[in-house]
Amino acid sequence: MTGSCDKLFPYLEDVPRCVVCGYRTDYRYTNPSFLLKNKIRDLSSTYDGIYIASLKFKEFCSRYGYKNLVFKPLPKTPNFFQFYVEGNVIEYKFNFNENFCSACEMYESVIGPTMNLDHITEPLKDGFYQSDLWFASGNEKSPVLIVAPKTFQNLKTEKFKDLCEKQIEK
Ligand SMILES: [Zn+2]
């Protein structure tokens, strides 16, 4: 969406970035020139951790009444959207972090996402969730996207394929 871990696309001069560490400070910036090359998947992710959803996926979410979801149009890729969850935050743990920047209050790297299951006593209610921590390095940090078991079943029922799934059990 905006470049690599270390370097933003030079033409994106207006991406907000930290004056001290140089990494971006807006991880939900939409690149107006973004072109999606692989349009086979209904939900995919860019290298810098931005989820891209198809119109079919957006319509699925509205039909099932899922709230707290943001779909931002991509000017150069019609019928696909930058997708993220608002709120519905779940506590996560990490294995390792390094280089805290006191100016933007972000770590350069946060590695090894694991859900903190201590306070989770029952399956998540139907819907979409996100981790409280943002993982990966440099310009590529993003929260983990989590779907409830029921939501996952609904996605399967609607024949969404190639969903990168990792089941979490307590
Ligand atoms: Zn910084």
Side-chain angles (χ1 to χ4, degrees):
M1 179 65 74
T2 59
S4 70
C5 168
D6 305 323
K7 208 159 181 279
L8 297 170
F9 296 133
Y11 69 89
L12 290 178
E13 286 169 1
D14 62 338
V15 181
R17 59 194 88 188
C18 174
V19 291
V20 176
C21 68
Y23 294 122
R24 59 182 172 140
T25 51
D26 179 3
Y27 287 83
R28 284 178 166 161
Y29 174 92
T30 307
N31 175 355
S33 308
F34 176 76
L35 278 174
L36 182 66
K37 294 191 184 100
N38 185 343
K39 297 185 180 160
I40 294 168
R41 293 190 170 175
D42 290 296
L43 187 63
S44 59
S45 168
T46 64
Y47 287 116
D48 50 358
I50 305 290
Y51 284 99
I52 307 292
S54 68
L55 182 60
K56 180 185 168 190
F57 184 87
K58 182 174 183 279
E59 287 175 349
F60 159 84
C61 292
S62 107
R63 198 152 28 91
Y64 280 79
Y66 294 126
K67 304 272 194 287
N68 308 330
L69 305 180
V70 177
F71 292 93
K72 287 166 85 178
L74 299 164
K76 292 282 171 67
T77 307
N79 295 325
F80 283 85
F81 303 85
Q82 183 175 344
F83 165 70
Y84 57 85
V85 178
E86 269 189 333
N88 279 12
V89 171
I90 292 182
E91 194 180 328
Y92 260 62
K93 299 188 270 199
F94 59 88
N95 290 335
F96 174 76
N97 65 12
E98 64 178 355
N99 298 340
F100 183 74
C101 172
S102 54
C104 63
E105 302 190 320
M106 296 284 277
Y107 286 93
E108 184 176 21
S109 297
V110 183
I111 307 296
T114 330
M115 190 183 285
N116 184 357
L117 297 169
D118 294 351
H119 308 296
I120 295 186
T121 53
E122 54 187 21
L124 296 175
K125 279 198 202 117
D126 194 10
F128 291 82
Y129 299 79
Q130 62 180 327
S131 60
D132 58 346
L133 300 175
W134 289 48
F135 291 92
S137 299
N139 292 307
E140 299 184 340
K141 289 181 276 281
S142 62
V144 179
L145 176 67
I146 306 138
V147 299
K150 173 79 174 105
T151 319
F152 190 70
Q153 273 315 313
N154 291 343
L155 286 160
K156 288 262 185 203
T157 305
E158 298 285 335
K159 308 256 188 291
F160 285 98
K161 291 187 188 124
D162 296 330
L163 300 164
C164 291
E165 57 182 280
K166 190 183 142 205
Q167 201 170 334
I168 301 170
E169 285 180 10
K170 185 161 180 173

